[in-house]
């Protein structure tokens, strides 16, 4: 067998297999459930909902915007929402307002949840029928949006916040946005 | 960990059992409560809907079969039992009876959920490979096949002197 055909016979399948393995490896690392939000870079969508704690008060997107802030979509029936509460508290401690959409929930359950596990939220809009949820492109709780001082959505995190997400994604972004605001 | 030690660790104590049962009951209660909340403002599967005219009805059924349920990736919102799909059906229904066009509703959904919400991906720059790859593979396969066949044909014609003599002998049948 000539050198060239040997190269073709073994080299070609070998490269193909290696390329395929490479693709598999990349595929392993990508989370197909995580979808990029087309709302990143867009202003916070308008909404008009009653406040969770004060049913007479109406909240709109103006209540959630004005400074660098977090908007978190949560529900009392959502277990990961409970797990991420300490991290939201961590952010609230750094003078970053944390706003909430209480999604597909009942007032009673939502209030009990906050009493039992703590309340990191500055304001919470009550959205039992997912009206604002649809406009904000919510598809599962918990989801967290980072807004800049102009009220533009700069980042969306899908799923619960954990220590890694807090340290590597959210806090650096918040620092950056705050610096932008001051300059 | 051996099987035995696994068993030992997983055997619940009475207190743990009680709290587990309690959690189960609470879970069921929550499930039904969530169900009760969930039914408001949504369109259930096969729920009869009223339309002003046939055009709207056709548009609704066309749209719900074009839009993907984003939490249950291999289903359209027409066939999905997920809460989000019910919300999306409701929104498509509302917008349709309010006289919004098909394009308006599709752009409303893609602005919020991205191109992903379209069950059939549009042909554009980032999906070009997806659409073209079957044809690319066909061409690559075809060319490879042709080459293999051609090489085999040329190999067959080149027999050495002894091979030719052996072939002759086999043909005559006096091996």
């Amino acid at each position: 067998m000539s050198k060239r055909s040997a190269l073709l016979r073994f080299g070609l399948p070998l490269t193909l297999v290696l390329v395929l393995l490479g693709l598999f490896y990349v595929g392993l690392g990508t989370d197909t459930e995580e979808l990029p939000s087309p709302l990143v870079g867009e202003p916070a969508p308008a909404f008009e909902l009653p406040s969770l704690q004060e049913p007479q008060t109406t909240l709109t997107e103006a209540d959630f915007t004005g400074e660098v802030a977090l908007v978190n979509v949560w529900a009392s029936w959502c277990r990961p929402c409970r797990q991420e509460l300490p991290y939201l508290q961590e952010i609230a401690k750094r003078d970053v307002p944390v706003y909430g959409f209480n999604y597909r929930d009942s007032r009673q359950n939502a209030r009990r949840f906050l009493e039992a596990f703590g309340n990191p939220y500055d304001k919470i809009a009550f959205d039992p029928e997912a009206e604002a949820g649809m406009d904000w492109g919510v598809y599962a709780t918990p989801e967290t949006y980072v807004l800049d001082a102009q009220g533009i959505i700069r980042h969306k995190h899908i799923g619960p916040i954990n220590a890694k997400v807090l340290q590597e994604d959210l806090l650096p972004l918040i620092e950056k946005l705050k610096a932008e605001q001051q300059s | 960990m051996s099987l035995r030690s696994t068993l030992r660790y997983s055997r619940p104590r009475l207190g743990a059992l009680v709290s587990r049962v309690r959690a189960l009951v609470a879970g069921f209660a929550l499930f039904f409560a969530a169900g009760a909340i969930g039914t408001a403002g949504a369109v259930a599967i096969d729920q009869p809907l009223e339309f002003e005219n046939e055009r709207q009805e056709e548009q609704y059924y066309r749209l719900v079969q074009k839009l993907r349920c984003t939490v249950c990736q291999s289903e359209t919102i027409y066939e999905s039992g997920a809460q989000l799909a019910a919300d999306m059906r409701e929104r498509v229904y509302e917008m349709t009876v309010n006289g919004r066009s098909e394009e308006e509703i599709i752009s409303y959904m893609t602005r919020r959920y991205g191109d992903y919400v379209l069950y059939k991906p549009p042909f554009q720059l980032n999906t070009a490979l997806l659409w073209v790859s079957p044809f690319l593979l066909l061409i690559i396969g075809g060319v490879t096949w042709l080459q293999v066949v051609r090489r085999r044909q040329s190999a067959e014609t080149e027999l050495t002197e002894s091979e030719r003599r052996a072939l002759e002998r086999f043909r005559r049948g006096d091996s």
Side-chain angles (χ1 to χ4, degrees):
Chain A
M1 204 187 291
S2 77
K3 203 173 170 187
R4 193 172 156 270
S5 76
L7 202 72
L8 242 153
R9 190 161 292 191
F10 297 109
L12 197 69
L14 190 71
T15 0
L16 281 178
V17 166
L18 284 179
V19 167
L20 207 60
L21 281 178
L23 286 176
F24 285 163
Y25 185 75
V26 172
L28 269 181
T30 50
D31 185 352
T32 50
E33 305 235 322
E34 202 151 301
L35 308 175
S37 173
L39 288 170
V40 171
E42 301 281 324
F47 69 91
E48 209 180 304
L49 288 169
S51 151
L52 174 69
Q53 286 98 337
E54 303 144 28
Q56 282 79 38
T57 312
T58 302
L59 297 176
T60 69
E61 70 282 4
D63 288 284
F64 284 10
T65 51
E67 53 187 317
V68 179
L70 237 64
V71 177
N72 177 251
V73 185
W74 67 281
S76 64
W77 45 261
C78 150
R79 204 181 160 79
C81 295
R82 199 170 121 189
Q83 288 161 354
E84 73 173 359
L85 267 186
Y87 302 105
L88 292 176
Q89 257 137 8
E90 188 66 36
I91 291 168
K93 255 189 254 162
R94 291 165 197 248
D95 283 332
V96 177
V98 177
Y99 302 113
F101 280 115
N102 180 241
Y103 183 77
R104 291 209 160 277
D105 209 346
S106 75
R107 277 186 203 277
Q108 197 194 2
N109 286 349
R111 284 186 191 145
R112 267 212 302 250
F113 177 92
L114 295 177
E115 276 163 31
F117 307 117
N119 181 1
Y121 302 103
D122 280 49
K123 293 171 191 166
I124 302 169
F126 182 56
D127 191 13
E129 306 207 343
E131 291 164 46
M134 178 90 48
D135 282 327
W136 283 65
V138 171
Y139 54 95
T141 52
E143 285 180 13
T144 306
Y145 301 82
V146 182
L147 304 185
D148 69 11
Q150 280 73 44
I152 308 285
I153 296 175
R154 298 294 289 268
H155 181 69
K156 178 181 179 185
H157 178 75
I158 294 162
I161 297 168
N162 52 33
K164 186 166 179 271
V165 171
L166 181 76
Q167 292 300 335
E168 291 178 13
D169 300 337
L170 297 183
L171 289 181
L173 180 63
I174 287 168
E175 287 308 312
K176 193 185 131 208
L177 294 180
K178 281 196 156 182
E180 263 177 37
Q181 186 184 3
Q182 268 145 25
S183 65
Chain B
M1 203 187 280
S2 75
L3 184 63
R4 180 181 277 170
S5 63
T6 318
L7 282 176
R8 195 170 57 229
Y9 278 113
S10 63
R11 190 185 301 149
R13 282 168 290 111
L14 189 64
L17 197 71
V18 167
S19 72
R20 213 171 277 187
V21 168
R22 204 178 287 160
L24 204 67
V25 170
F28 269 111
L30 262 179
F31 178 78
F32 287 113
I37 299 162
T39 46
V43 175
I45 296 179
D46 289 339
Q47 178 180 324
L49 295 168
E50 276 177 31
F51 296 92
E52 279 169 29
N53 54 47
E54 233 168 72
R55 205 187 51 78
Q56 285 188 352
E57 186 170 354
E58 278 169 17
Q59 174 177 309
Y60 171 81
Y61 284 105
R62 210 168 34 243
L63 276 170
V64 291
Q65 292 178 69
K66 261 188 190 177
L67 295 169
R68 185 203 300 262
C69 163
T70 45
V71 289
C72 28
Q73 314 192 343
S74 53
E75 285 178 321
T76 61
I77 60 170
Y78 175 65
E79 60 204 347
S80 173
Q83 182 61 59
L84 184 71
D87 291 347
M88 287 166 77
R89 283 195 294 267
E90 162 79 12
R91 195 56 66 103
V92 171
Y93 174 71
E94 270 172 19
M95 291 177 84
T96 298
V97 292
N98 286 335
R100 308 286 284 275
S101 76
E102 198 164 332
E103 291 75 40
E104 279 178 307
I105 300 175
I106 286 184
S107 84
Y108 173 91
M109 287 295 173
T110 47
R111 268 210 315 280
R112 283 156 184 79
Y113 291 101
D115 285 334
Y116 188 80
V117 80
L118 303 173
Y119 205 70
K120 184 177 169 187
F123 188 86
Q124 53 196 29
L125 206 61
N126 60 348
T127 57
L129 192 64
L130 179 74
W131 281 103
V132 175
S133 59
F135 304 105
L136 266 179
L137 283 177
L138 197 69
I139 292 169
I140 293 171
V143 169
T144 318
W145 177 75
L146 261 178
Q147 273 185 338
V148 167
V149 166
R150 207 173 286 165
R151 194 178 311 147
R152 231 175 250 171
Q153 273 174 347
S154 65
E156 272 165 17
T157 54
E158 285 167 27
L159 290 178
T160 62
E161 190 55 35
S162 66
E163 280 172 338
R164 210 169 294 146
R165 247 179 283 148
L167 198 61
E168 256 332 273
R169 256 189 298 134
F170 293 146
R171 277 198 184 134
R172 284 203 304 269
D174 54 12
S175 49

